[in-house]
Amino acid sequence: MYTTCLHCQKSLGSNEAIEALPIGRRLAFDGEKGRLWVVCMLCQRWNLTPFDARWEALEQCERAYRDTRVRLSTDNIGLARLRDGTDLVRVGRPLRPEFAAWRYGDQFGRRRRRNALLLAGGVAGAGLAVAGLSAAGVALGTAMPLLQLAAMKAWRQQLLANRVHLDDGRRIAPTGRLRLLQLPVEEGWGVEAGVMIPIDSTKSLARKWDGFSQQYEVGVTTVRGTHAMPLLRRFMPRVNGGGASAAQVRSGVQLIEEAGGPERFAPWAASQRGIWAAKSQFGDTGDVQFIPVAARLALEMSINEEAERRALEGELAQLESAWREAEELAGIADHLVMPAVIERQLDAIRRRLG
């Protein structure tokens, strides 16, 4: 089991209450669907636990939740705090709005509060910096090139640190905003992005940025359909970095319902560009940063849920494969130990029953 958040790479902490999963201070579980998450206390995002580390921990979570007297719950979702301070979120059969309120409300709400604090601190810090330079006798015009160089260096480092492995095998570093595209292909949608791509991975982008790196070239690429999911999973938390209110989260959930579910939301959103363009007064309506707020939130929520659905399907495929192998071995074992006379009698019974 990993010990850091898959999204912000910070420590998930530890607990002493769940012996089979001693990682995390808040655990969410759905015994019916066989899902178990570790909730990051810093970014509030849910990390789905690996398949092989889940089942015993699920039983222990259920037992610990039932043994806790002080609980808050609705008909579908409950919250219990254990003696060591570990929080357990028990998911039953919630409607999507209720589940979204529990799963994403804290996440977007914390981003909203953090953004307000950063904005206030940034304005104050900028004022102090200018005042300090002025007091030191440094002209603002002289200091600006230094600030620009520092910003460029940080931007370059961030680009290389945020390279994304796409489902189609490519590894790219986004350099700009993403744009939703409606494509006349089977996927029906895609994403266009400005990117840096290692030169040895593609020859389609000829323009090289010599001032940045001899190993990368810069251009625009289109990622089609579900192959774009890893890129959007990395990018959308930045787009929604300002957070959201509970009402905005509910509006995003309503859009997911209108689209027909998380797996259908991205192609539905790409088809809405013309409608949103008619209502927008600024920005490129294909740019994910300029689509309606509720749609931006819905895109991030739907991507997370779709990724977990695909992971669960992979787990079910593994279970089916293991079951078939076990069934085959059981059949061989039965034949090895069953006397021939019994086998003949069984065949006679099968023939009589047709």
Side-chain angles (χ1 to χ4, degrees), residues 17-21 55-65 88:
I18 308 301
E19 183 178 355
L21 184 64
W55 303 107
E56 185 178 357
L58 274 171
E59 293 181 4
Q60 293 180 8
C61 285
E62 180 67 36
R63 193 180 308 116
Y65 180 86
L88 292 179

Side-chain angles (χ1 to χ4, degrees), residues 68-110:
T68 303
R69 293 185 177 181
V70 181
R71 298 193 297 259
L72 298 174
S73 64
T74 66
D75 292 339
N76 301 305
I77 297 180
L79 175 64
R81 174 156 292 180
L82 306 184
R83 291 182 179 179
D84 70 336
T86 303
D87 290 336
L88 292 179
V89 179
R90 185 179 185 273
V91 181
R93 293 188 179 184
L95 298 175
R96 190 179 303 280
E98 185 182 359
F99 182 68
W102 276 82
R103 178 167 183 175
Y104 299 105
D106 287 347
Q107 184 183 137
F108 289 126
R110 177 168 291 194

Side-chain angles (χ1 to χ4, degrees), residues 167 187 189-190 223-230 263 306 309-310:
D167 285 347
E187 293 89 348
W189 70 284
V223 188
R224 298 177 180 273
T226 56
H227 295 312
M229 289 295 186
E263 69 282 358
E306 173 64 8
R309 184 188 67 81
R310 293 168 65 189

Side-chain angles (χ1 to χ4, degrees), residues 112-128:
R112 189 182 190 186
R113 294 189 294 272
R114 182 183 62 189
N115 186 64
L117 291 174
L118 290 176
L119 182 62
V123 172
L128 290 174

Side-chain angles (χ1 to χ4, degrees), residues 16-31:
E16 298 178 356
I18 308 301
E19 183 178 355
L21 184 64
I23 296 168
R25 299 297 297 166
R26 172 171 287 187
L27 307 178
F29 65 99
D30 184 339

